């Protein structure tokens, strides 16, 4: 392999010849610039330089092999340059945000102090790098749907039953026939390594130890193979969340890859065709610039004269190739023609589409609005579940129905199950748990939910999940006081 030094590489810093260094290897990415999902400007900001720090947390290990032709893997950085980069890193002053994170990590409470999902979220929010926090916490427009997803649970009250035998209460259930210790799964969410160096593998190992199932995002920050290889036993189930690529051949290749790796089901996300407006995420670079320059003059904004507002943030680039032309008639039969895995539609946001999904023969439906991250004012999934149960109870016989969005308590899980859901997904809560405590945080979060679910089951007078039923909850038409969690 040829070697290059920093001076040689620095000369290739234009759109006509753009080289970057990643993990001490040199790549010519000129031909890829305009295919980069995050846009060419992101790469151009690092042209001719070491891009490792920016690249590594958000790209799976195999991304370069998948997207850059082998002849564009030019060679290695020479030894003198490697030492020079290492030295430069040592003397580089830490940013204010890095110092803040270091301090927060030192003061992180012991896991035993985390007694509910909210505690986990608050702890993680203090120690996440700001860029990660902005990506994880952001929601669409004014965050109305994000807030209401959680608030909807407060409109449903229980009819507890007493004098029923509940000893030996069992919180376990199944999802698509796979056993789970509680009716909760880790919903696929992108870029876990923004929050913790081990990223999605924390979910894999934590899920196994706690006996639940992980759904892996198309935009995971580890490769699908690395995650599959981290399974603690060969029969540990893994679900895959699919963003269908607009090119059917590329999409089929992705499906074949995960099928060969032994993934057990495909959750096709249908609510994310184009990037949405997530302002916390969009503002993150400006927030960070101001934070780093506190007390000093702000850098001039060379983008002031740009006509279009750039709303992509971290999220935008991830979905730029999604298929915008999916339909029930075309896409579901196409999926069936390329895979034998169960197909679940994730992102159904109204009763009419839930009915269509069941008619299309899907193996499951997730009532979800992407955690309030896509269309603001999409109804809370719990309300859609309630309406579905009232208006089309037959759907629950045809297919498994899950919901996600705003679930923070064992009682939230129980309410959804009483209304017919087979299980519920949690997105942010698991991202926060793994960011703050890695794999043990994931296990701890499941234990918290399990304790709360078991307590709720005792109070409802049931000893198994299948005894939960609609008469156990009532929807009130007044809005109770805001729960503390909001
Ligand atoms: N859903 C997907 O289908 N694919 C994704 O790649 C994806 N990435 C996400 C990244 C983040 C940071 C978050 C917060 C959510 C993401 N979601 C994604 C949505 C989740 O799967 C889930 O629907 C949502 O988080 C549930 O809401 P909750 O965070 O209130 O639990």
């Amino acid at each position: 392999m040829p070697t290059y030094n920093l001076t040689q590489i620095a000369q290739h810093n234009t759109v006509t010849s753009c080289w970057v260094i990643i993990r001490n290897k040199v790549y010519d990415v000129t031909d890829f610039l305009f295919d980069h999902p995050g846009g060419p400007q992101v790469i151009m900001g690092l042209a001719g330089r070491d891009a490792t720090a920016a690249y590594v947390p958000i790209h799976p290990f195999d991304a370069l092999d998948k997207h850059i032709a082998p002849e564009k893997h030019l060679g290695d950085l020479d030894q003198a340059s490697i030492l020079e980069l290492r030295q430069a890193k040592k003397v580089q002053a830490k940013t204010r945000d890095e110092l803040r994170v270091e301090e927060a990590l030192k003061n992180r409470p012991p896991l035993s102090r985390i007694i509910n999902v909210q505690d986990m979220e608050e702890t993680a929010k203090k120690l996440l790098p700001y860029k990660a926090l902005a990506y994880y916490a952001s929601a669409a427009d004014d965050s109305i749907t994000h807030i209401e997803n959680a608030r909807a649970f407060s409109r449903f009250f229980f009819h507890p039953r007493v004098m029923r035998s509940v000893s030996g209460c069992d919180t376990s259930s199944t999802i698509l026939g796979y056993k789970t210790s509680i009716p909760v799964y880790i919903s696929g969410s992108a870029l876990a390594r923004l929050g913790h160096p081990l990223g999605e593998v924390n979910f894999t190992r934590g899920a196994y130890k706690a006996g639940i199932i992980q759904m892996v995002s198309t935009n995971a920050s580890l490769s699908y193979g690395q995650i599959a290889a981290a399974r603690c036993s060969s029969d540990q189930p893994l679900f895959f969340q699919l963003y269908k690529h607009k090119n059917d051949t590329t999409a089929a290749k992705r499906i074949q890859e995960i099928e060969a790796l032994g993934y057990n089901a495909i959750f096709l996300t249908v609510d994310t065709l184009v990037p949405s407006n997530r302002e916390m995420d969009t503002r993150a670079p400006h927030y960070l610039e101001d934070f780093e320059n506190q007390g000093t003059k702000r850098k001039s904004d060379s983008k002031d004269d740009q006509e279009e507002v750039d709303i992509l943030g971290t999220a935008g680039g991830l979905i730029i190739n999604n298929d915008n032309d999916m339909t029930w008639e075309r896409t579901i039969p196409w999926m069936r023609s390329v895979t034998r895995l169960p197909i679940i539609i994730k992102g159904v946001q109204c009763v009419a589409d839930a009915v269509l999904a069941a008619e299309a023969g899907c193996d499951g439906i997730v009532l979800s609005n992407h955690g309030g991250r896509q269309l603001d004012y999409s109804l809370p999934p719990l309300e859609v579940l309630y309406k579905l149960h009232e208006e089309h109870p037959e759907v629950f016989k045809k297919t498994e129905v899950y919901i996600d969005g705003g679930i923070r308590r064992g009682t939230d899980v129980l309410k959804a199950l009483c209304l017919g859901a087979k299980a519920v997904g949690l997105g942010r809560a698991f991202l926060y748990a793994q960011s703050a405590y890695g794999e043990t945080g994931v296990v701890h979060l499941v234990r918290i939910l399990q304790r709360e679910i078991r307590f709720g089951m005792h109070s409802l007078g049931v000893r198994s999940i299948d005894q939960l039923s609609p008469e156990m909850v009532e929807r009130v038409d007044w809005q109770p006081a805001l729960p503390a969690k909001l």
Side-chain angles (χ1 to χ4, degrees), residues 135-136 187-190 217 241 243 269 346 368 370-371 373 404-406 408 426-428 431:
Y135 176 59
Y136 289 176
S187 194
S189 42
S217 163
Q241 174 275 318
Y243 280 134
T269 297
K346 175 175 185 289
S368 166
H370 218 101
R373 289 161 76 81
D404 73 33
R408 302 289 180 265
L426 273 71
R428 291 182 185 83
L431 280 172

Side-chain angles (χ1 to χ4, degrees), residues 303-344:
K303 285 189 172 177
D304 272 353
D305 56 354
Q306 279 195 353
E307 275 177 21
E308 263 194 50
V309 180
D310 173 10
I311 60 148
L312 289 185
T314 303
L318 299 172
I319 55 164
I320 221 108
N321 289 316
N322 287 4
D323 189 344
N324 283 356
D325 297 309
M326 291 189 290
T327 62
W328 298 115
E329 296 75 24
R330 190 186 88 79
T331 311
I332 307 304
W334 176 84
M335 292 273 293
R336 290 278 182 222
S337 74
V338 293
T339 183
R340 292 189 171 184
L341 292 178
I343 297 165
I344 300 90

Side-chain angles (χ1 to χ4, degrees), residues 214-263:
Q214 169 192 14
M215 183 202 301
V216 174
S217 163
T218 286
N219 290 323
S221 52
L222 290 172
S223 73
Y224 314 140
Q226 283 173 309
I227 298 168
R231 276 178 294 196
C232 303
S233 120
S234 56
D235 60 358
Q236 176 179 352
L238 269 186
F239 297 156
F240 185 74
Q241 174 275 318
L242 179 73
Y243 280 134
K244 185 187 168 292
H245 197 283
K246 57 190 172 200
N247 178 306
D248 281 0
T249 312
T250 311
K253 254 199 216 155
R254 185 174 281 163
I255 292 173
Q256 280 147 14
E257 179 187 356
I258 59 102
E259 215 171 30
L261 288 165
Y263 283 75

Side-chain angles (χ1 to χ4, degrees), residues 28 68 85 123 130 199 226 250 260 317 329 337 356 383 388 404 451:
D28 178 351
I68 309 291
L85 281 184
T123 302
Y130 189 78
Q226 283 173 309
T250 311
E329 296 75 24
S337 74
L356 288 174
E383 293 285 3
L388 184 64
D404 73 33
R451 175 175 51 77

Side-chain angles (χ1 to χ4, degrees), residues 165 241 260 310 398 413:
S165 168
Q241 174 275 318
D310 173 10
K398 285 189 188 161
V413 179

